[in-house]
Amino acid sequence: LQTPIPTLINVGFDSLMEQPNCSIIIQGNPITASEFFGYLINQILFSRTLFPQESFGTYIAYEEELLVFEDKEVSIYFQTLLTQLRNWLQSNSLSSISMFIIDANTSVVLEQWTFHFEISLSHFHPIDLRTHLCALMDQINQELYRRPQIIYESTFDLRVFDSTGRDLTDQWEQTIPQVN
């Protein structure tokens, strides 16, 4: 099975105003915030069928069954991405990431998901972490339920922004391997 290639393309931002946007706030220390971001992205990509269902497996974390990529190439891509995210969160140089789901044939943006990070260097109790993760997953699932099914062959793009709104994606693209 060939999986769609996660591409980092130049999204036509003028078309975004018409697209549904979901804003999600992830709280925690840099390690848990980047970990939660990974779980949320996997849930969205699975639910929006950007990758075949066989590309995902389940993983138990915080007493919850979560979806994770099993495809080795895609897993390497996401591990590198999450490591860079953790580094930016630790240095307090990132405020949000936007994920765009894009029609692969026309490059039209179909959806936008924006993740904001509220970082605390304190450690949270495991029960609080589980509660927060469940609330985030519920928010994702409720939003997915409201949206129509995507019927187009699609890909995704991630854009990274610092606290001033400056796009850091070019710095990120230099650190992540491309999936072929």
Side-chain angles (χ1 to χ4, degrees), residues 110-164:
L110 304 172
E111 293 181 357
Q112 177 181 353
W113 299 79
T114 302
F115 300 88
H116 300 278
F117 296 91
E118 293 182 359
I119 300 304
S120 169
L121 297 180
S122 60
H123 291 280
F124 294 89
H125 191 277
I127 293 174
D128 295 332
L129 290 173
R130 179 173 186 253
T131 301
H132 183 52
L133 178 60
C134 289
L136 291 169
M137 294 302 280
D138 285 347
Q139 183 181 357
I140 294 285
N141 290 329
Q142 288 173 16
E143 186 65 30
L144 287 166
Y145 180 75
R146 283 191 280 266
R147 294 180 181 213
Q149 182 178 357
I150 294 178
I151 57 173
Y152 306 104
E153 181 182 342
S154 302
T155 187
F156 69 100
D157 185 26
L158 296 168
R159 308 301 293 183
V160 182
F161 300 95
D162 70 8
S163 57
T164 66

Side-chain angles (χ1 to χ4, degrees), residues 11-21 100 109-112:
V11 175
F13 288 101
D14 52 331
S15 67
L16 293 180
M17 301 311 286
E18 306 164 11
Q19 306 311 319
N21 183 13
F100 302 96
V109 175
L110 304 172
E111 293 181 357
Q112 177 181 353

Side-chain angles (χ1 to χ4, degrees), residues 10-149:
N10 188 4
V11 175
F13 288 101
D14 52 331
S15 67
L16 293 180
M17 301 311 286
E18 306 164 11
Q19 306 311 319
N21 183 13
C22 180
S23 186
I24 298 160
I25 298 172
I26 301 175
Q27 299 172 325
N29 65 44
I31 294 169
T32 56
S34 59
E35 179 184 7
F36 286 8
F37 174 77
Y39 297 141
L40 299 174
I41 289 290
N42 282 325
Q43 180 68 25
I44 293 167
L45 294 176
F46 175 83
S47 298
R48 303 316 272 159
T49 61
L50 269 71
F51 292 87
Q53 291 186 349
E54 311 77 66
S55 299
F56 296 88
T58 56
Y59 177 75
I60 304 292
Y62 306 98
E63 299 179 21
E64 293 295 320
E65 191 172 294
L66 304 163
L67 294 167
V68 293
F69 273 105
E70 289 189 333
D71 179 278
K72 184 177 180 178
E73 206 172 7
V74 176
S75 292
I76 290 170
Y77 169 84
F78 274 101
Q79 286 307 314
T80 305
L81 178 153
L82 294 175
T83 299
Q84 179 64 51
L85 172 60
R86 188 175 318 116
N87 292 338
W88 274 332
L89 292 174
Q90 287 173 336
S91 67
N92 203 27
S93 59
L94 177 137
S95 68
S96 66
I97 295 178
S98 289
M99 180 176 80
F100 302 96
I101 297 180
I102 304 160
D103 182 314
N105 296 313
T106 65
S107 297
V108 170
V109 175
L110 304 172
E111 293 181 357
Q112 177 181 353
W113 299 79
T114 302
F115 300 88
H116 300 278
F117 296 91
E118 293 182 359
I119 300 304
S120 169
L121 297 180
S122 60
H123 291 280
F124 294 89
H125 191 277
I127 293 174
D128 295 332
L129 290 173
R130 179 173 186 253
T131 301
H132 183 52
L133 178 60
C134 289
L136 291 169
M137 294 302 280
D138 285 347
Q139 183 181 357
I140 294 285
N141 290 329
Q142 288 173 16
E143 186 65 30
L144 287 166
Y145 180 75
R146 283 191 280 266
R147 294 180 181 213
Q149 182 178 357

